[in-house]
Amino acid sequence: EDQVTQSPEALRLQEGESSSLNCSYTVSGLRGLFWYRQDPGKGPEFLFTLYSAGEEKEKERLKATLTKKESFLHITAPKPEDSATYLCAVQKGAGNNRKLIWGLGTSLAVNP
Amino acid sequence: NAGVTQTPKFRVLKTGQSMTLLCAQDMNHEYMYWYRQDPGMGLRLIHYSVGEGTTAKGEVPDGYNVSRLKKQNFLLGLESAAPSQTSVYFCASSTWGELFFGSGTQLSVL
């Protein structure tokens, strides 16, 4: 069964304390892995797409990596404004047959 | 640049009432989606559309209907609301890549 699991469910960091969020998946025929950020009361906001194992992408304090079984979202020296829920989604199929399998998210709180 | 706009933002219904949620996108995207998000359940796809005049069922379509008469609009209807439909509803649009989400509609069914 296709499944996407994110861990931990919740994470509390001190400002400047680096850490990583995990997204593990059992999806056959991965066509892409997406990371989103969701602030309270808002819709998810796109961060990164990764397509193949070994790929890495960076944006400010965030770096996403991908292996054949999981993806990590590394947060370096986080700030309070990085507090949000981070969602991972895996795509299988393409075009009109595309399907996204979503994880439940990791709720991150960064204390000043 | 508005992106994806959802109306209304909040709504309270009584059991059995009907309503329509409107989604509009100005990015000329072919694909549009309706999701619901519930605590502990994550994002679940209700219905989606791969182009103007098309609709298809997602994971949890029961109790909902949709229409896409114009490319930029995707409507989600509840014919007879039930308390189990209390949720936050998100519309999204895309080309072949990432989804762009609206800000959501918080719906309570009493």
Side-chain angles (χ1 to χ4, degrees), chain A residues 34 36 38 41-44 46 49 51 87 91 95-96 98 100 102 104, chain B residues 31 33 35 37 40-43 50 90 94 96-99 101-103:
Chain A
F34 301 85
Y36 288 82
Q38 186 174 21
K42 296 188 176 181
F46 171 73
T49 310
Y51 291 104
L87 299 172
Q91 176 183 332
N96 291 357
R98 176 167 95 163
L100 288 176
W102 292 85
L104 297 183
Chain B
Y31 301 108
Y33 314 82
Y35 283 92
Q37 187 175 41
M41 303 292 288
L43 283 165
V50 300
F90 289 103
S94 76
W96 52 266
E98 69 271 19
L99 272 60
F101 285 84
S103 58

PDB file of all heavy atoms in Angstrom, chain A residues 34 36 38 41-44 46 49 51 87 91 95-96 98 100 102 104, chain B residues 31 33 35 37 40-43 50 90 94 96-99 101-103:
ATOM      1  N   PHE A  34       7.301  16.359  -2.946  1.00  0.00           N
ATOM      2  CA  PHE A  34       7.070  17.781  -2.708  1.00  0.00           C
ATOM      3  C   PHE A  34       7.124  18.077  -1.212  1.00  0.00           C
ATOM      4  O   PHE A  34       6.603  17.312  -0.402  1.00  0.00           O
ATOM      5  CB  PHE A  34       5.692  18.205  -3.231  1.00  0.00           C
ATOM      6  CG  PHE A  34       5.495  17.975  -4.703  1.00  0.00           C
ATOM      7  CD1 PHE A  34       5.087  16.742  -5.181  1.00  0.00           C
ATOM      8  CD2 PHE A  34       5.705  18.999  -5.605  1.00  0.00           C
ATOM      9  CE1 PHE A  34       4.895  16.525  -6.538  1.00  0.00           C
ATOM     10  CE2 PHE A  34       5.522  18.800  -6.957  1.00  0.00           C
ATOM     11  CZ  PHE A  34       5.111  17.565  -7.432  1.00  0.00           C
ATOM     12  N   TYR A  36       5.950  21.189   1.451  1.00  0.00           N
ATOM     13  CA  TYR A  36       5.135  22.390   1.607  1.00  0.00           C
ATOM     14  C   TYR A  36       5.253  22.878   3.042  1.00  0.00           C
ATOM     15  O   TYR A  36       5.479  22.097   3.967  1.00  0.00           O
ATOM     16  CB  TYR A  36       3.652  22.108   1.326  1.00  0.00           C
ATOM     17  CG  TYR A  36       3.317  21.870  -0.119  1.00  0.00           C
ATOM     18  CD1 TYR A  36       3.502  20.619  -0.696  1.00  0.00           C
ATOM     19  CD2 TYR A  36       2.786  22.886  -0.904  1.00  0.00           C
ATOM     20  CE1 TYR A  36       3.178  20.388  -2.022  1.00  0.00           C
ATOM     21  CE2 TYR A  36       2.466  22.669  -2.230  1.00  0.00           C
ATOM     22  CZ  TYR A  36       2.663  21.421  -2.781  1.00  0.00           C
ATOM     23  OH  TYR A  36       2.341  21.202  -4.092  1.00  0.00           O
ATOM     24  N   GLN A  38       2.903  25.028   5.890  1.00  0.00           N
ATOM     25  CA  GLN A  38       1.555  25.497   6.155  1.00  0.00           C
ATOM     26  C   GLN A  38       1.527  26.266   7.463  1.00  0.00           C
ATOM     27  O   GLN A  38       1.832  25.711   8.517  1.00  0.00           O
ATOM     28  CB  GLN A  38       0.553  24.343   6.198  1.00  0.00           C
ATOM     29  CG  GLN A  38      -0.889  24.814   6.329  1.00  0.00           C
ATOM     30  CD  GLN A  38      -1.901  23.685   6.231  1.00  0.00           C
ATOM     31  OE1 GLN A  38      -1.581  22.517   6.449  1.00  0.00           O
ATOM     32  NE2 GLN A  38      -3.130  24.020   5.882  1.00  0.00           N
ATOM     33  N   GLY A  41      -4.205  28.576   9.741  1.00  0.00           N
ATOM     34  CA  GLY A  41      -5.255  29.324   9.078  1.00  0.00           C
ATOM     35  C   GLY A  41      -4.988  29.628   7.617  1.00  0.00           C
ATOM     36  O   GLY A  41      -5.729  30.408   7.003  1.00  0.00           O
ATOM     37  N   LYS A  42      -3.951  29.022   7.051  1.00  0.00           N
ATOM     38  CA  LYS A  42      -3.615  29.275   5.647  1.00  0.00           C
ATOM     39  C   LYS A  42      -3.463  27.964   4.886  1.00  0.00           C
ATOM     40  O   LYS A  42      -3.352  26.888   5.484  1.00  0.00           O
ATOM     41  CB  LYS A  42      -2.326  30.087   5.546  1.00  0.00           C
ATOM     42  CG  LYS A  42      -2.430  31.478   6.147  1.00  0.00           C
ATOM     43  CD  LYS A  42      -1.201  32.297   5.844  1.00  0.00           C
ATOM     44  CE  LYS A  42      -1.349  33.717   6.375  1.00  0.00           C
ATOM     45  NZ  LYS A  42      -0.152  34.548   6.069  1.00  0.00           N
ATOM     46  N   GLY A  43      -3.442  28.071   3.568  1.00  0.00           N
ATOM     47  CA  GLY A  43      -3.211  26.900   2.753  1.00  0.00           C
ATOM     48  C   GLY A  43      -1.733  26.573   2.660  1.00  0.00           C
ATOM     49  O   GLY A  43      -0.883  27.418   2.922  1.00  0.00           O
ATOM     50  N   PRO A  44      -1.416  25.323   2.311  1.00  0.00           N
ATOM     51  CA  PRO A  44      -0.012  24.951   2.136  1.00  0.00           C
ATOM     52  C   PRO A  44       0.666  25.801   1.073  1.00  0.00           C
ATOM     53  O   PRO A  44       0.068  26.136   0.054  1.00  0.00           O
ATOM     54  CB  PRO A  44      -0.098  23.484   1.703  1.00  0.00           C
ATOM     55  CG  PRO A  44      -1.408  23.005   2.235  1.00  0.00           C
ATOM     56  CD  PRO A  44      -2.320  24.188   2.130  1.00  0.00           C
ATOM     57  N   PHE A  46       4.100  25.984  -1.361  1.00  0.00           N
ATOM     58  CA  PHE A  46       5.127  25.135  -1.957  1.00  0.00           C
ATOM     59  C   PHE A  46       6.525  25.583  -1.570  1.00  0.00           C
ATOM     60  O   PHE A  46       6.848  26.781  -1.568  1.00  0.00           O
ATOM     61  CB  PHE A  46       4.984  25.166  -3.481  1.00  0.00           C
ATOM     62  CG  PHE A  46       6.117  24.513  -4.211  1.00  0.00           C
ATOM     63  CD1 PHE A  46       6.249  23.138  -4.224  1.00  0.00           C
ATOM     64  CD2 PHE A  46       7.050  25.276  -4.885  1.00  0.00           C
ATOM     65  CE1 PHE A  46       7.293  22.534  -4.890  1.00  0.00           C
ATOM     66  CE2 PHE A  46       8.097  24.691  -5.569  1.00  0.00           C
ATOM     67  CZ  PHE A  46       8.222  23.322  -5.574  1.00  0.00           C
ATOM     68  N   THR A  49      10.511  20.695  -4.895  1.00  0.00           N
ATOM     69  CA  THR A  49      10.234  19.424  -5.555  1.00  0.00           C
ATOM     70  C   THR A  49      11.553  18.701  -5.775  1.00  0.00           C
ATOM     71  O   THR A  49      12.532  19.306  -6.225  1.00  0.00           O
ATOM     72  CB  THR A  49       9.561  19.613  -6.929  1.00  0.00           C
ATOM     73  OG1 THR A  49       8.445  20.487  -6.806  1.00  0.00           O
ATOM     74  CG2 THR A  49       9.094  18.275  -7.471  1.00  0.00           C
ATOM     75  N   TYR A  51      13.119  15.057  -7.544  1.00  0.00           N
ATOM     76  CA  TYR A  51      12.685  14.066  -8.526  1.00  0.00           C
ATOM     77  C   TYR A  51      13.468  12.757  -8.470  1.00  0.00           C
ATOM     78  O   TYR A  51      12.934  11.711  -8.861  1.00  0.00           O
ATOM     79  CB  TYR A  51      12.784  14.639  -9.935  1.00  0.00           C
ATOM     80  CG  TYR A  51      11.786  15.738 -10.211  1.00  0.00           C
ATOM     81  CD1 TYR A  51      12.180  17.068 -10.237  1.00  0.00           C
ATOM     82  CD2 TYR A  51      10.447  15.439 -10.441  1.00  0.00           C
ATOM     83  CE1 TYR A  51      11.261  18.075 -10.469  1.00  0.00           C
ATOM     84  CE2 TYR A  51       9.519  16.447 -10.688  1.00  0.00           C
ATOM     85  CZ  TYR A  51       9.938  17.760 -10.704  1.00  0.00           C
ATOM     86  OH  TYR A  51       9.024  18.747 -10.946  1.00  0.00           O
ATOM     87  N   LEU A  87       4.648  19.844   5.388  1.00  0.00           N
ATOM     88  CA  LEU A  87       3.977  18.709   4.766  1.00  0.00           C
ATOM     89  C   LEU A  87       4.819  18.136   3.637  1.00  0.00           C
ATOM     90  O   LEU A  87       5.468  18.887   2.897  1.00  0.00           O
ATOM     91  CB  LEU A  87       2.623  19.137   4.187  1.00  0.00           C
ATOM     92  CG  LEU A  87       1.585  19.696   5.161  1.00  0.00           C
ATOM     93  CD1 LEU A  87       0.386  20.243   4.398  1.00  0.00           C
ATOM     94  CD2 LEU A  87       1.137  18.624   6.130  1.00  0.00           C
ATOM     95  N   GLN A  91       4.359  11.988  -5.397  1.00  0.00           N
ATOM     96  CA  GLN A  91       3.575  11.836  -6.618  1.00  0.00           C
ATOM     97  C   GLN A  91       3.889  10.508  -7.284  1.00  0.00           C
ATOM     98  O   GLN A  91       5.041  10.123  -7.455  1.00  0.00           O
ATOM     99  CB  GLN A  91       3.898  12.957  -7.612  1.00  0.00           C
ATOM    100  CG  GLN A  91       3.183  12.806  -8.947  1.00  0.00           C
ATOM    101  CD  GLN A  91       3.565  13.879  -9.937  1.00  0.00           C
ATOM    102  OE1 GLN A  91       3.931  14.989  -9.540  1.00  0.00           O
ATOM    103  NE2 GLN A  91       3.457  13.577 -11.223  1.00  0.00           N
ATOM    104  N   GLY A  95       0.601  13.354 -15.587  1.00  0.00           N
ATOM    105  CA  GLY A  95      -0.479  13.893 -16.387  1.00  0.00           C
ATOM    106  C   GLY A  95      -1.820  13.701 -15.713  1.00  0.00           C
ATOM    107  O   GLY A  95      -1.958  13.918 -14.511  1.00  0.00           O
ATOM    108  N   ASN A  96      -2.816  13.284 -16.477  1.00  0.00           N
ATOM    109  CA  ASN A  96      -4.158  13.104 -15.924  1.00  0.00           C
ATOM    110  C   ASN A  96      -4.233  11.958 -14.928  1.00  0.00           C
ATOM    111  O   ASN A  96      -5.220  11.827 -14.199  1.00  0.00           O
ATOM    112  CB  ASN A  96      -5.155  12.865 -17.055  1.00  0.00           C
ATOM    113  CG  ASN A  96      -5.364  14.103 -17.897  1.00  0.00           C
ATOM    114  OD1 ASN A  96      -4.804  15.157 -17.614  1.00  0.00           O
ATOM    115  ND2 ASN A  96      -6.148  13.977 -18.945  1.00  0.00           N
ATOM    116  N   ARG A  98      -1.973  11.499 -12.551  1.00  0.00           N
ATOM    117  CA  ARG A  98      -1.128  11.842 -11.406  1.00  0.00           C
ATOM    118  C   ARG A  98      -1.925  11.664 -10.121  1.00  0.00           C
ATOM    119  O   ARG A  98      -3.096  12.023 -10.023  1.00  0.00           O
ATOM    120  CB  ARG A  98      -0.666  13.289 -11.518  1.00  0.00           C
ATOM    121  CG  ARG A  98       0.132  13.745 -10.337  1.00  0.00           C
ATOM    122  CD  ARG A  98       0.825  15.037 -10.639  1.00  0.00           C
ATOM    123  NE  ARG A  98       0.066  16.182 -10.185  1.00  0.00           N
ATOM    124  CZ  ARG A  98       0.587  17.387 -10.035  1.00  0.00           C
ATOM    125  NH1 ARG A  98       1.851  17.588 -10.317  1.00  0.00           N
ATOM    126  NH2 ARG A  98      -0.167  18.392  -9.625  1.00  0.00           N
ATOM    127  N   LEU A 100      -1.292  12.252  -5.784  1.00  0.00           N
ATOM    128  CA  LEU A 100      -0.446  12.705  -4.690  1.00  0.00           C
ATOM    129  C   LEU A 100      -0.831  11.988  -3.413  1.00  0.00           C
ATOM    130  O   LEU A 100      -2.012  11.916  -3.076  1.00  0.00           O
ATOM    131  CB  LEU A 100      -0.586  14.214  -4.492  1.00  0.00           C
ATOM    132  CG  LEU A 100       0.035  15.135  -5.534  1.00  0.00           C
ATOM    133  CD1 LEU A 100      -0.286  16.583  -5.233  1.00  0.00           C
ATOM    134  CD2 LEU A 100       1.540  14.931  -5.600  1.00  0.00           C
ATOM    135  N   TRP A 102      -0.207  12.192   0.566  1.00  0.00           N
ATOM    136  CA  TRP A 102       0.246  13.188   1.525  1.00  0.00           C
ATOM    137  C   TRP A 102       0.608  12.551   2.865  1.00  0.00           C
ATOM    138  O   TRP A 102      -0.081  11.637   3.337  1.00  0.00           O
ATOM    139  CB  TRP A 102      -0.851  14.227   1.773  1.00  0.00           C
ATOM    140  CG  TRP A 102      -1.122  15.097   0.589  1.00  0.00           C
ATOM    141  CD1 TRP A 102      -1.944  14.831  -0.464  1.00  0.00           C
ATOM    142  CD2 TRP A 102      -0.547  16.377   0.333  1.00  0.00           C
ATOM    143  NE1 TRP A 102      -1.912  15.871  -1.362  1.00  0.00           N
ATOM    144  CE2 TRP A 102      -1.073  16.837  -0.891  1.00  0.00           C
ATOM    145  CE3 TRP A 102       0.350  17.188   1.027  1.00  0.00           C
ATOM    146  CZ2 TRP A 102      -0.723  18.073  -1.445  1.00  0.00           C
ATOM    147  CZ3 TRP A 102       0.693  18.415   0.475  1.00  0.00           C
ATOM    148  CH2 TRP A 102       0.165  18.845  -0.745  1.00  0.00           C
ATOM    149  N   LEU A 104       1.107  13.366   7.101  1.00  0.00           N
ATOM    150  CA  LEU A 104       0.298  14.119   8.070  1.00  0.00           C
ATOM    151  C   LEU A 104       0.994  15.379   8.565  1.00  0.00           C
ATOM    152  O   LEU A 104       0.380  16.198   9.244  1.00  0.00           O
ATOM    153  CB  LEU A 104      -0.065  13.226   9.259  1.00  0.00           C
ATOM    154  CG  LEU A 104      -0.930  12.015   8.927  1.00  0.00           C
ATOM    155  CD1 LEU A 104      -1.285  11.260  10.207  1.00  0.00           C
ATOM    156  CD2 LEU A 104      -2.190  12.423   8.189  1.00  0.00           C
TER     157      LEU A 104
ATOM    158  N   TYR B  31      -5.306  21.891 -14.142  1.00  0.00           N
ATOM    159  CA  TYR B  31      -5.762  21.012 -13.077  1.00  0.00           C
ATOM    160  C   TYR B  31      -6.245  21.822 -11.879  1.00  0.00           C
ATOM    161  O   TYR B  31      -5.603  22.790 -11.474  1.00  0.00           O
ATOM    162  CB  TYR B  31      -4.626  20.088 -12.622  1.00  0.00           C
ATOM    163  CG  TYR B  31      -4.058  19.223 -13.716  1.00  0.00           C
ATOM    164  CD1 TYR B  31      -2.792  19.474 -14.244  1.00  0.00           C
ATOM    165  CD2 TYR B  31      -4.780  18.150 -14.218  1.00  0.00           C
ATOM    166  CE1 TYR B  31      -2.274  18.684 -15.242  1.00  0.00           C
ATOM    167  CE2 TYR B  31      -4.256  17.352 -15.221  1.00  0.00           C
ATOM    168  CZ  TYR B  31      -2.998  17.624 -15.733  1.00  0.00           C
ATOM    169  OH  TYR B  31      -2.483  16.840 -16.733  1.00  0.00           O
ATOM    170  N   TYR B  33      -8.299  21.152  -7.864  1.00  0.00           N
ATOM    171  CA  TYR B  33      -8.545  20.126  -6.852  1.00  0.00           C
ATOM    172  C   TYR B  33      -9.338  20.717  -5.692  1.00  0.00           C
ATOM    173  O   TYR B  33      -9.188  21.890  -5.350  1.00  0.00           O
ATOM    174  CB  TYR B  33      -7.215  19.609  -6.278  1.00  0.00           C
ATOM    175  CG  TYR B  33      -6.151  19.286  -7.294  1.00  0.00           C
ATOM    176  CD1 TYR B  33      -5.340  20.283  -7.830  1.00  0.00           C
ATOM    177  CD2 TYR B  33      -5.926  17.967  -7.704  1.00  0.00           C
ATOM    178  CE1 TYR B  33      -4.353  19.991  -8.751  1.00  0.00           C
ATOM    179  CE2 TYR B  33      -4.938  17.669  -8.620  1.00  0.00           C
ATOM    180  CZ  TYR B  33      -4.157  18.689  -9.146  1.00  0.00           C
ATOM    181  OH  TYR B  33      -3.178  18.391 -10.062  1.00  0.00           O
ATOM    182  N   TYR B  35      -9.695  19.675  -1.651  1.00  0.00           N
ATOM    183  CA  TYR B  35      -9.249  18.845  -0.541  1.00  0.00           C
ATOM    184  C   TYR B  35     -10.023  19.232   0.716  1.00  0.00           C
ATOM    185  O   TYR B  35     -10.469  20.367   0.869  1.00  0.00           O
ATOM    186  CB  TYR B  35      -7.767  19.086  -0.232  1.00  0.00           C
ATOM    187  CG  TYR B  35      -6.782  18.442  -1.179  1.00  0.00           C
ATOM    188  CD1 TYR B  35      -6.298  19.123  -2.296  1.00  0.00           C
ATOM    189  CD2 TYR B  35      -6.300  17.158  -0.933  1.00  0.00           C
ATOM    190  CE1 TYR B  35      -5.376  18.533  -3.136  1.00  0.00           C
ATOM    191  CE2 TYR B  35      -5.373  16.574  -1.772  1.00  0.00           C
ATOM    192  CZ  TYR B  35      -4.908  17.262  -2.874  1.00  0.00           C
ATOM    193  OH  TYR B  35      -3.985  16.682  -3.709  1.00  0.00           O
ATOM    194  N   GLN B  37      -9.202  19.005   5.002  1.00  0.00           N
ATOM    195  CA  GLN B  37      -8.120  18.761   5.955  1.00  0.00           C
ATOM    196  C   GLN B  37      -8.714  18.654   7.350  1.00  0.00           C
ATOM    197  O   GLN B  37      -9.347  19.585   7.830  1.00  0.00           O
ATOM    198  CB  GLN B  37      -7.078  19.888   5.904  1.00  0.00           C
ATOM    199  CG  GLN B  37      -5.837  19.605   6.740  1.00  0.00           C
ATOM    200  CD  GLN B  37      -4.767  20.680   6.568  1.00  0.00           C
ATOM    201  OE1 GLN B  37      -5.056  21.857   6.521  1.00  0.00           O
ATOM    202  NE2 GLN B  37      -3.499  20.248   6.470  1.00  0.00           N
ATOM    203  N   GLY B  40      -5.391  14.851  12.291  1.00  0.00           N
ATOM    204  CA  GLY B  40      -5.063  13.438  12.314  1.00  0.00           C
ATOM    205  C   GLY B  40      -5.332  12.691  11.017  1.00  0.00           C
ATOM    206  O   GLY B  40      -4.998  11.507  10.893  1.00  0.00           O
ATOM    207  N   MET B  41      -5.959  13.378  10.046  1.00  0.00           N
ATOM    208  CA  MET B  41      -6.287  12.722   8.773  1.00  0.00           C
ATOM    209  C   MET B  41      -5.492  13.309   7.615  1.00  0.00           C
ATOM    210  O   MET B  41      -5.434  12.724   6.533  1.00  0.00           O
ATOM    211  CB  MET B  41      -7.779  12.862   8.488  1.00  0.00           C
ATOM    212  CG  MET B  41      -8.691  12.313   9.571  1.00  0.00           C
ATOM    213  SD  MET B  41      -8.587  10.528   9.687  1.00  0.00           S
ATOM    214  CE  MET B  41      -9.440  10.044   8.210  1.00  0.00           C
ATOM    215  N   GLY B  42      -4.961  14.475   7.800  1.00  0.00           N
ATOM    216  CA  GLY B  42      -4.197  15.105   6.721  1.00  0.00           C
ATOM    217  C   GLY B  42      -5.081  15.618   5.604  1.00  0.00           C
ATOM    218  O   GLY B  42      -6.302  15.768   5.750  1.00  0.00           O
ATOM    219  N   LEU B  43      -4.479  15.867   4.480  1.00  0.00           N
ATOM    220  CA  LEU B  43      -5.192  16.345   3.306  1.00  0.00           C
ATOM    221  C   LEU B  43      -5.774  15.153   2.547  1.00  0.00           C
ATOM    222  O   LEU B  43      -5.064  14.225   2.192  1.00  0.00           O
ATOM    223  CB  LEU B  43      -4.240  17.118   2.390  1.00  0.00           C
ATOM    224  CG  LEU B  43      -3.882  18.534   2.809  1.00  0.00           C
ATOM    225  CD1 LEU B  43      -2.670  19.022   2.031  1.00  0.00           C
ATOM    226  CD2 LEU B  43      -5.066  19.463   2.588  1.00  0.00           C
ATOM    227  N   VAL B  50      -9.277  17.826 -14.591  1.00  0.00           N
ATOM    228  CA  VAL B  50      -8.077  17.887 -15.430  1.00  0.00           C
ATOM    229  C   VAL B  50      -8.237  18.878 -16.564  1.00  0.00           C
ATOM    230  O   VAL B  50      -7.362  18.988 -17.430  1.00  0.00           O
ATOM    231  CB  VAL B  50      -7.689  16.499 -15.973  1.00  0.00           C
ATOM    232  CG1 VAL B  50      -7.412  15.536 -14.822  1.00  0.00           C
ATOM    233  CG2 VAL B  50      -8.768  15.936 -16.893  1.00  0.00           C
ATOM    234  N   PHE B  90      -9.821  23.113   1.183  1.00  0.00           N
ATOM    235  CA  PHE B  90      -8.833  23.825   0.381  1.00  0.00           C
ATOM    236  C   PHE B  90      -9.015  23.503  -1.087  1.00  0.00           C
ATOM    237  O   PHE B  90      -9.187  22.345  -1.469  1.00  0.00           O
ATOM    238  CB  PHE B  90      -7.408  23.443   0.784  1.00  0.00           C
ATOM    239  CG  PHE B  90      -6.985  23.968   2.119  1.00  0.00           C
ATOM    240  CD1 PHE B  90      -6.954  23.140   3.225  1.00  0.00           C
ATOM    241  CD2 PHE B  90      -6.615  25.301   2.258  1.00  0.00           C
ATOM    242  CE1 PHE B  90      -6.571  23.625   4.463  1.00  0.00           C
ATOM    243  CE2 PHE B  90      -6.226  25.802   3.497  1.00  0.00           C
ATOM    244  CZ  PHE B  90      -6.209  24.966   4.596  1.00  0.00           C
ATOM    245  N   SER B  94      -2.953  23.565 -10.477  1.00  0.00           N
ATOM    246  CA  SER B  94      -1.586  23.246 -10.894  1.00  0.00           C
ATOM    247  C   SER B  94      -1.517  23.066 -12.397  1.00  0.00           C
ATOM    248  O   SER B  94      -2.532  22.896 -13.083  1.00  0.00           O
ATOM    249  CB  SER B  94      -1.093  21.966 -10.205  1.00  0.00           C
ATOM    250  OG  SER B  94      -1.680  20.825 -10.798  1.00  0.00           O
ATOM    251  N   TRP B  96       1.663  20.747 -14.347  1.00  0.00           N
ATOM    252  CA  TRP B  96       2.115  19.374 -14.082  1.00  0.00           C
ATOM    253  C   TRP B  96       2.957  19.286 -12.828  1.00  0.00           C
ATOM    254  O   TRP B  96       3.345  18.202 -12.411  1.00  0.00           O
ATOM    255  CB  TRP B  96       2.927  18.863 -15.274  1.00  0.00           C
ATOM    256  CG  TRP B  96       4.029  19.789 -15.662  1.00  0.00           C
ATOM    257  CD1 TRP B  96       3.980  20.766 -16.597  1.00  0.00           C
ATOM    258  CD2 TRP B  96       5.345  19.847 -15.096  1.00  0.00           C
ATOM    259  NE1 TRP B  96       5.179  21.439 -16.652  1.00  0.00           N
ATOM    260  CE2 TRP B  96       6.030  20.899 -15.750  1.00  0.00           C
ATOM    261  CE3 TRP B  96       6.010  19.132 -14.103  1.00  0.00           C
ATOM    262  CZ2 TRP B  96       7.343  21.230 -15.452  1.00  0.00           C
ATOM    263  CZ3 TRP B  96       7.316  19.452 -13.795  1.00  0.00           C
ATOM    264  CH2 TRP B  96       7.973  20.493 -14.461  1.00  0.00           C
ATOM    265  N   GLY B  97       3.271  20.418 -12.208  1.00  0.00           N
ATOM    266  CA  GLY B  97       4.181  20.429 -11.067  1.00  0.00           C
ATOM    267  C   GLY B  97       3.471  20.676  -9.758  1.00  0.00           C
ATOM    268  O   GLY B  97       2.464  20.049  -9.445  1.00  0.00           O
ATOM    269  N   GLU B  98       4.005  21.610  -8.993  1.00  0.00           N
ATOM    270  CA  GLU B  98       3.491  21.861  -7.653  1.00  0.00           C
ATOM    271  C   GLU B  98       2.082  22.424  -7.680  1.00  0.00           C
ATOM    272  O   GLU B  98       1.656  23.056  -8.643  1.00  0.00           O
ATOM    273  CB  GLU B  98       4.412  22.824  -6.886  1.00  0.00           C
ATOM    274  CG  GLU B  98       4.419  24.243  -7.413  1.00  0.00           C
ATOM    275  CD  GLU B  98       5.453  24.471  -8.496  1.00  0.00           C
ATOM    276  OE1 GLU B  98       5.920  23.476  -9.104  1.00  0.00           O
ATOM    277  OE2 GLU B  98       5.790  25.640  -8.733  1.00  0.00           O
ATOM    278  N   LEU B  99       1.366  22.175  -6.557  1.00  0.00           N
ATOM    279  CA  LEU B  99       0.030  22.717  -6.383  1.00  0.00           C
ATOM    280  C   LEU B  99       0.098  24.087  -5.728  1.00  0.00           C
ATOM    281  O   LEU B  99       0.950  24.335  -4.866  1.00  0.00           O
ATOM    282  CB  LEU B  99      -0.807  21.784  -5.498  1.00  0.00           C
ATOM    283  CG  LEU B  99      -1.574  20.656  -6.184  1.00  0.00           C
ATOM    284  CD1 LEU B  99      -0.650  19.719  -6.915  1.00  0.00           C
ATOM    285  CD2 LEU B  99      -2.430  19.920  -5.172  1.00  0.00           C
ATOM    286  N   PHE B 101      -2.293  26.524  -3.490  1.00  0.00           N
ATOM    287  CA  PHE B 101      -3.477  26.401  -2.660  1.00  0.00           C
ATOM    288  C   PHE B 101      -4.117  27.750  -2.362  1.00  0.00           C
ATOM    289  O   PHE B 101      -3.432  28.782  -2.278  1.00  0.00           O
ATOM    290  CB  PHE B 101      -3.117  25.747  -1.324  1.00  0.00           C
ATOM    291  CG  PHE B 101      -2.880  24.274  -1.411  1.00  0.00           C
ATOM    292  CD1 PHE B 101      -1.642  23.775  -1.780  1.00  0.00           C
ATOM    293  CD2 PHE B 101      -3.898  23.378  -1.108  1.00  0.00           C
ATOM    294  CE1 PHE B 101      -1.415  22.411  -1.857  1.00  0.00           C
ATOM    295  CE2 PHE B 101      -3.678  22.008  -1.182  1.00  0.00           C
ATOM    296  CZ  PHE B 101      -2.442  21.535  -1.561  1.00  0.00           C
ATOM    297  N   GLY B 102      -5.438  27.721  -2.181  1.00  0.00           N
ATOM    298  CA  GLY B 102      -6.141  28.858  -1.643  1.00  0.00           C
ATOM    299  C   GLY B 102      -5.983  28.911  -0.132  1.00  0.00           C
ATOM    300  O   GLY B 102      -5.341  28.043   0.473  1.00  0.00           O
ATOM    301  N   SER B 103      -6.596  29.897   0.483  1.00  0.00           N
ATOM    302  CA  SER B 103      -6.433  30.111   1.925  1.00  0.00           C
ATOM    303  C   SER B 103      -7.420  29.304   2.753  1.00  0.00           C
ATOM    304  O   SER B 103      -7.329  29.304   3.981  1.00  0.00           O
ATOM    305  CB  SER B 103      -6.558  31.588   2.261  1.00  0.00           C
ATOM    306  OG  SER B 103      -7.812  32.068   1.819  1.00  0.00           O
TER     307      SER B 103
END
